[in-house]
Structures are given as structure tokens and as C-alpha cells.
Amino acid sequence: MNRAGRRQELGAALASQDPYHAASLLTITTVSSRQSKPEPRLPQGSESSLQDSFGNEWSGVLKAWLDTQELAMAGYAGRAYESQAQLHGAFNQMFGSSTGNWLVPAMHAICKSTHRLAKAADKEINGGGGGGSTDQAKLQSAVTLLQESFSRTYNDRKEYNSDAPFGSDGSKKAGVLSIVNELFVIYFSLNTLRLCKNLVRPIEARKLHEKGTMGELVTYKYYTGRLSLFEDQYADAEQNLEYAFENCHVQAIKNKRVILRYLVPVKLYRGRLPSAALLQKYGLTEYGPLVDSMRKGDLRTFNDTLVRFQDKFIRQGTYLLLEKCKAICYRNLFKRIHFVVGKSQITLSHVANAFKGLGVPIDLDEIECILANLIFRGYVRGYIAHTKRVLVLSKREPFPVAAVIAK
């Protein structure tokens, strides 16, 4: 379709105030492969066909949109992003003065397209992503545009009714959660997690995180769960990630797998071991040996698995949390030693022999340090007789389950 046809189609969607048709037209799904395509010659000046009907602001949006479409189809990602940035800036200005919230889906489409084109432009600048360069200048500049979109929706004074359809009387706050989720994706890509709090605090103060489509709620809980995990707030992380997993669409297996990559380590740390069937179903076999070794107190297998998948766990940001799970492995190893010895007093030399048998030889001082930590955390009840090098266990529930499984 040529420029005139696209212009006419968008004009019809705006005239009828069809929120979803306008959004679909304003969406840039992909940047074509350039190959040998010549750079398109874009007309100069403004587009006047919508100016008379909708005002000067739509003329700027229309021209930038048409230019972006042509540049994206020709494979010029960098120029397409620059045109999209102009479109986004003009739309932000126009959106604030528009009536109702029928343009909220269009705002969502523009935010997603800006994000998508920024990534494509950075990839083009970095030579297709194969040269090792990781410059993300375009993605960083996209943040400013999306932050402005967030302000335009969040500061609307109309009362928000989440059950009301998009129309000329609705609140623009209906667009907040989707934009926040898009910013979360960018912040995590740029590793600027500190900026997430600037979004979480205001929307949770107004309870906007409880209103939206189920897809928006699931995405929000997923990212806030990951944020809590990195802040060592494991109870909140488990709650949010579990909500995301349980409410994710039953057929969205890939999304469920992504959620479990963070939910499983949190569960392990909090003493809840997933079943082998669950790990097999979602292709998370790397956690299988960790779960078995924690259950059995098999320290060698636990360490070997961490080393084997170290790079993967580090990329996911879960390595340090999984390293902390070693305390439960220690606890269960001491429990097995206690079962074998059959006494409440265990010499540390017996413990040292068990460690040596697992291929992890350590001295008695290190064993005392491990035991002191376990006793402090409540995983083991008892005390260490340092002069005699003996662990004295409580005769009543020396290995309390409640201490390991967090409430």
C-alpha cells in the first residue's frame, strides 16, 4: 500500500475513533532485511490531509508514521528509529490534550514500536550484533519517550474504572500498567534496575498495579518479582513470581518457563523443592541435580552442578541465590550423619570423614564455622563443644523442618 492509501486508512480509523484499528495501523512489527534495497526518498513538508480534520498535531504524527513505515520496510533501522522518535514525541504532545482514553491502545502500540525499533537501530549501529559491541544509545534515548508517555497517562485527573471500555469519557490511567511493563523490559536490558522504583512507588500508591488485563498483571508481577529477588526480598519475590506463574496462560509454556527460571531458585532457598515432573515439563533439567543433592545432602553433586551451569545461572542473575542454597545441603548432610551415627553427640572427625568421602575435604575449623552458621539460622538445634570438637544435638527435633521451609 502506498502513502496515500495508508494515510486514508489511518484517517478513517481516527474519524471513527476505533481504538484497536488505529493501534494496529500505528504498530511497526519488524524491520525488513535491507539487502540491496535503495534508501527511500521521503517527501518534504507536512502531510495536510489530516490537518484540516484533526489539527496540526496530527499532521506531524502522520508524516513521521509514514516515513517510519517506509524506512522500516526498506531495512534502514537507524533512520526508522529517528522517524519513530519524532512520531512518539508528537503523539505524546497530542495525547495529553485528547479527550477520553480511546487513544490508549495507540499509545501502547507506539511505545512497543519505539522499543522494537530502538533495539533494531542499536543492532544496526553495532554491525548486526556480531562484533561484540554493546552500544545501546538508541534504547537509552527511547527511555525518555516512554517516561513521557507514562506521565501523560498517570497524571490524568479522571477517575479510572478498569471495567469501562475505551472511549471519549474514559481515564488515560488505563494505559499506565502496559507502559510501566515496557519500561521494566528496557530497564532490565540496560541494567538500570534502580529506576524501576520510580515506577513502582507511584502506581502502587494509587493501586494501579491491581487494575489491568491479566496479561499486564502477570507481566508486572514477573518483573517486580525479579526486582525483589535482586534486592534479597525473597518472600515478596516468591509471592509475585508465583502469582505470575499461576495466572500465566496455560498454553504459554515458554513464558511459564521464563518465570520458573527465577521462581525455582527462590523456592529452593525457601526450602520448597519442586518435583522432577515439573522441571521435566518445562525443560529446566539443570535444576534437577540441585534439587536431588539438596534433598540428600550430596555436597559434591551440588557443587559440580553449580560449576557446570555457572555461566547460565550468572546470566540469569540467580547464581548467588543458588549458592546460598548450599546451607540446606549442609543441613541435610548433617542430618544423614546423625542418622548413621545414631547419637546426639557427633565428633567433628566423623563429619570430616563424611566430607572427605564426598570429595570435599575440609578441616575441623571450617566445619565448626559451617555448623555455627546453621545453628544461628535455626537449621540445626544444638551447640558445639569446641574443646572436645563435638557437636551436641538437641534430643528434641535437632533438625527442625519449620526453620528451613519459610512461611
Side-chain angles (χ1 to χ4, degrees):
M1 187 183 294
N2 58 23
R3 287 177 76 97
R6 294 194 192 97
R7 186 166 55 235
Q8 184 177 2
E9 188 175 8
L10 181 60
L14 296 176
S16 62
Q17 293 194 356
D18 185 338
Y20 298 106
H21 189 199
S24 66
L25 292 174
L26 290 167
T27 300
I28 308 295
T29 56
T30 187
V31 177
S32 302
S33 175
R34 184 184 302 181
Q35 297 177 350
S36 59
K37 295 177 183 178
E39 186 171 356
R41 291 187 175 183
L42 304 176
Q44 301 298 315
S46 62
E47 300 283 346
S48 60
S49 62
L50 293 182
Q51 182 173 333
D52 296 337
S53 301
F54 300 99
N56 293 328
E57 64 272 18
W58 274 110
S59 177
V61 170
L62 175 62
K63 183 182 187 310
W65 170 65
L66 292 171
D67 291 350
T68 304
Q69 290 274 3
E70 291 193 20
L71 290 165
M73 286 190 294
Y76 289 84
R79 287 197 61 197
Y81 171 73
E82 295 301 331
S83 185
Q84 175 69 18
Q86 294 176 13
L87 183 159
H88 200 150
F91 191 86
N92 278 338
Q93 294 297 322
M94 183 277 305
F95 181 81
S97 59
S98 64
T99 58
N101 65 356
W102 69 277
L103 284 174
V104 162
M107 174 65 86
H108 291 167
I110 289 173
C111 288
K112 290 180 182 296
S113 296
T114 298
H115 181 192
R116 190 177 295 117
L117 288 171
K119 289 175 63 178
D122 284 332
K123 184 177 180 180
E124 181 181 84
I125 293 170
N126 295 328
S133 178
T134 58
D135 181 40
Q136 294 180 297
K138 301 301 183 184
L139 192 59
Q140 290 172 348
S141 69
V143 169
T144 304
L145 293 167
L146 269 75
Q147 287 174 337
E148 177 64 20
S149 299
F150 168 74
S151 298
R152 297 284 178 177
T153 53
Y154 180 79
N155 293 323
D156 188 27
R157 295 183 178 181
K158 283 189 178 180
E159 185 178 354
Y160 174 36
N161 180 7
S162 59
D163 297 325
F166 294 115
S168 57
D169 296 324
S171 171
K172 294 181 178 66
K173 291 189 182 75
V176 167
L177 200 56
S178 178
I179 298 173
V180 165
N181 289 338
E182 204 68 32
L183 280 167
F184 278 161
V185 177
I186 298 176
Y187 289 160
F188 274 79
S189 297
L190 296 174
N191 197 26
T192 54
L193 303 188
R194 67 187 186 281
L195 297 178
C196 292
K197 286 298 183 182
N198 297 337
L199 302 174
V200 172
R201 282 193 294 264
I203 70 168
E204 293 195 353
R206 294 188 180 181
K207 306 294 183 183
L208 295 176
H209 66 298
E210 300 174 357
K211 302 175 182 179
T213 65
M214 183 52 69
E216 291 170 347
L217 295 175
V218 165
T219 304
Y220 180 81
K221 290 291 187 179
Y222 165 71
Y223 280 105
T224 53
R226 286 185 61 184
L227 189 63
S228 296
L229 187 155
F230 294 137
E231 293 175 345
D232 296 338
Q233 298 174 357
Y234 300 120
D236 291 340
E238 182 178 16
Q239 182 180 1
N240 291 334
L241 290 169
E242 196 159 39
Y243 177 94
F245 179 75
E246 291 177 353
N247 291 280
C248 187
H249 195 281
V250 66
Q251 295 180 352
I253 300 299
K254 182 179 179 180
N255 291 345
K256 283 180 171 284
R257 184 186 302 117
V258 170
I259 296 169
L260 283 174
R261 285 175 182 162
Y262 299 95
L263 180 56
V264 168
V266 174
K267 290 279 190 182
L268 292 179
Y269 178 74
R270 290 172 62 79
R272 297 176 174 88
L273 306 185
S275 66
L278 178 74
L279 299 177
Q280 187 68 34
K281 178 180 179 180
Y282 292 102
L284 299 172
T285 53
E286 65 269 23
Y287 291 106
L290 287 178
V291 173
D292 290 340
S293 59
M294 287 175 64
R295 185 178 286 115
K296 299 174 183 177
D298 185 353
L299 193 60
R300 176 167 53 188
T301 301
F302 185 91
N303 289 337
D304 290 347
T305 305
L306 276 186
V307 171
R308 180 182 175 187
F309 296 103
Q310 178 177 343
D311 292 342
K312 184 174 186 177
F313 292 147
I314 289 175
R315 285 195 303 271
Q316 292 176 185
T318 57
Y319 180 81
L320 293 179
L321 177 58
L322 291 169
E323 179 73 24
K324 293 179 182 179
C325 295
K326 190 182 291 186
I328 298 177
C329 194
Y330 281 135
R331 178 259 189 194
N332 290 339
L333 173 59
F334 285 114
K335 184 178 180 180
R336 291 184 67 188
I337 294 172
H338 172 245
F339 178 79
V340 171
V341 173
K343 300 178 181 178
S344 59
Q345 296 187 15
I346 305 173
T347 61
L348 298 189
S349 59
H350 282 312
V351 177
N353 290 334
F355 274 92
K356 186 176 181 180
L358 288 171
V360 190
I362 57 176
D363 58 34
L364 298 184
D365 289 335
E366 189 172 352
I367 291 174
E368 283 196 25
C369 289
I370 294 170
L371 279 169
N373 184 48
L374 294 176
I375 293 171
F376 174 77
R377 297 177 65 173
Y379 287 3
V380 176
R381 284 180 180 169
Y383 64 92
I384 302 169
H386 175 70
T387 55
K388 296 182 179 180
R389 298 282 191 173
V390 171
L391 168 64
V392 182
L393 294 170
S394 170
K395 294 183 179 180
R396 181 181 178 183
E397 200 177 6
F399 301 92
V401 176
V404 178
I405 302 178
K407 296 180 180 180

